């Protein structure tokens, strides 16, 4: 099926089934373009919950679909590929986390949104990369914070807030493997470029950044900074939206390091890129795979999400 025909079929299915399509910034361009909303995971779930759509088709990874289900329990949430996981989520299994927490006196478990619904269910609150600093600053001082699962984000936040935390040692395979050598090379070749980075990157990379923030914060910086050339230290899917915001801008993606040297394609998240237009069509047509959450953990997981809003409002 040609792309143009596929787009038309998807839009017809969406209308007929009263569905809404969400796409994360790290999706392929055509998925971003067909989506009703493009953005960060939590923001997308919040927007979907405020619509009258009966079906949410979430082009992202499975934990994002789980959050959408937590915020919209009455809606059906489907994903193009149920195997679209996350290395951070995979690194932190709930049975191992329980043991990790047991060694901490008076713990407060703060789970980055890139975690499974099972981890969220035993957490006191979740956070996003944009909300984490404020939440940490509002956690009672007598609590010992356990931050999971991203060690680089945790270390960055520990430095920003001055709050000591027991940090889980998980990593994002995309942000962990950007080439420092390539960043330096790009800076030397483009002295007028600003480096924008996601805090999931190691400190060895963040030290070169002119701006560190979530994907939506990076886009806001690009729009308002007054600069026109950027070295991008996050998944390059963000560049599609950056070009819409700043058509005259120049965006330079950073290569990743793999076993054979450097690789431009390796900077794309292999999980996010499992989603395709064909799979989106199939999931809307068949209304599967669907996200189902065990009723025994649903309330606790939803409470962790709601607690994030509580700490943000303090």
């Amino acid at each position: 099926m040609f792309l143009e025909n596929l787009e038309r079929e998807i839009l017809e299915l969406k209308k007929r089934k009263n569905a809404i399509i969400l796409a994360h910034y790290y999706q392929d361009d055509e998925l971003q373009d067909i989506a009703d909303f493009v953005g960060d995971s939590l923001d997308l779930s919040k927007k979907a919950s405020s619509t009258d759509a009966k079906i949410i088709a979430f082009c992202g990874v499975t934990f994002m679909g789980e959050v959408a289900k937590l915020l919209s329990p009455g809606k059906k949430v489907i994903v193009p590929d149920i195997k679209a996981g996350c290395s951070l989520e995979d690194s932190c299994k709930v049975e191992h986390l329980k043991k990790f927490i047991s060694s901490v006196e008076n713990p407060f478990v703060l789970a980055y949104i890139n975690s499974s619904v099972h981890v969220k269910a035993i957490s006191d609150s979740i956070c996003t990369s944009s909300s984490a600093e404020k939440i940490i600053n509002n956690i009672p001082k007598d609590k010992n914070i356990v931050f999971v699962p991203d060690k680089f984000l945790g270390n960055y936040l520990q430095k920003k807030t001055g709050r000591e935390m027991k940090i889980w040692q998980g990593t994002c395979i995309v942000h962990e493997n950007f080439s420092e050598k390539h960043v330096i090379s790009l800076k030397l070749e483009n002295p007028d470029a600003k480096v924008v980075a996601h805090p999931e990157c190691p400190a060895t990379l963040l030290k070169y950044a002119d701006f560190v923030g979530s994907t939506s914060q990076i886009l806001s910086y690009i729009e308002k900074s007054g600069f026109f050339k950027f070295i991008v230290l996050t998944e390059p899917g963000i560049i599609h939206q950056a070009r819409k915001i700043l058509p005259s801008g120049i965006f330079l993606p950073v290569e990743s390091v793999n076993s054979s040297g450097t690789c431009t394609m390796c900077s794309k998240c292999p999980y996010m890129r499992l989603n395709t237009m064909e799979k989106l069509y199939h999931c809307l047509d068949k209304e599967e795979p669907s996200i189902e959450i065990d009723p025994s953990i649903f309330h606790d997981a939803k409470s962790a999400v709601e607690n994030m809003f509580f700490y943000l409002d303090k």
Side-chain angles (χ1 to χ4, degrees), residues 17-168:
K17 301 202 173 195
N18 190 16
I20 189 170
I21 300 173
L22 311 178
H24 190 269
Y25 290 122
Y26 298 166
Q27 294 295 285
D28 287 332
D29 296 356
E30 58 267 25
L31 288 171
Q32 293 188 43
D33 288 342
I34 203 169
D36 296 285
F37 298 110
V38 180
D40 285 324
S41 57
L42 182 62
D43 182 55
L44 289 172
S45 293
K46 287 169 64 180
K47 285 178 177 174
S49 69
S50 67
T51 71
D52 61 0
K54 292 182 179 179
I55 297 174
I56 299 171
F58 207 131
C59 300
V61 294
T62 52
F63 78 76
M64 297 178 184
E66 290 173 347
V67 174
K69 187 66 175 178
L70 291 172
L71 294 184
S72 300
K75 301 180 189 292
K76 187 167 191 176
V77 180
I78 55 177
V79 292
D81 194 323
I82 201 70
K83 294 178 183 177
C86 171
S87 61
L88 283 167
E89 177 183 350
D90 291 343
S91 78
C92 190
K93 301 301 182 185
V94 68
E95 60 271 21
H96 300 146
L97 178 57
K98 287 179 179 178
K99 185 176 180 180
F100 190 73
I101 298 168
S102 68
S103 65
V104 180
E105 184 179 353
N106 199 21
F108 185 103
V109 182
L110 181 59
Y112 186 32
I113 197 168
N114 295 44
S115 56
S116 72
V117 69
H118 296 88
V119 164
K120 291 179 176 72
I122 65 166
S123 300
D124 294 286
S125 177
I126 69 158
C127 68
T128 62
S129 54
S130 60
S131 67
E133 183 178 349
K134 184 174 182 180
I135 292 172
I136 290 168
N137 287 332
N138 284 330
I139 294 172
K141 300 300 182 185
D142 64 333
K143 290 288 188 177
N144 293 309
I145 300 173
V146 178
F147 186 85
V148 300
D150 190 321
K151 70 176 182 180
F152 294 129
L153 178 58
N155 290 334
Y156 172 78
L157 291 167
Q158 190 166 243
K159 185 176 179 181
K160 287 274 287 184
T161 63
R163 190 81 182 264
E164 283 193 24
M165 301 187 290
K166 187 175 177 66
I167 300 171
W168 187 268

Side-chain angles (χ1 to χ4, degrees), residues 215-231:
T215 43
S216 58
Q217 288 174 331
I218 288 172
L219 288 170
S220 179
Y221 174 80
I222 288 170
E223 182 178 20
K224 299 173 183 177
S225 68
F227 296 99
F228 294 91
K229 187 183 288 188
F230 301 89
I231 296 167

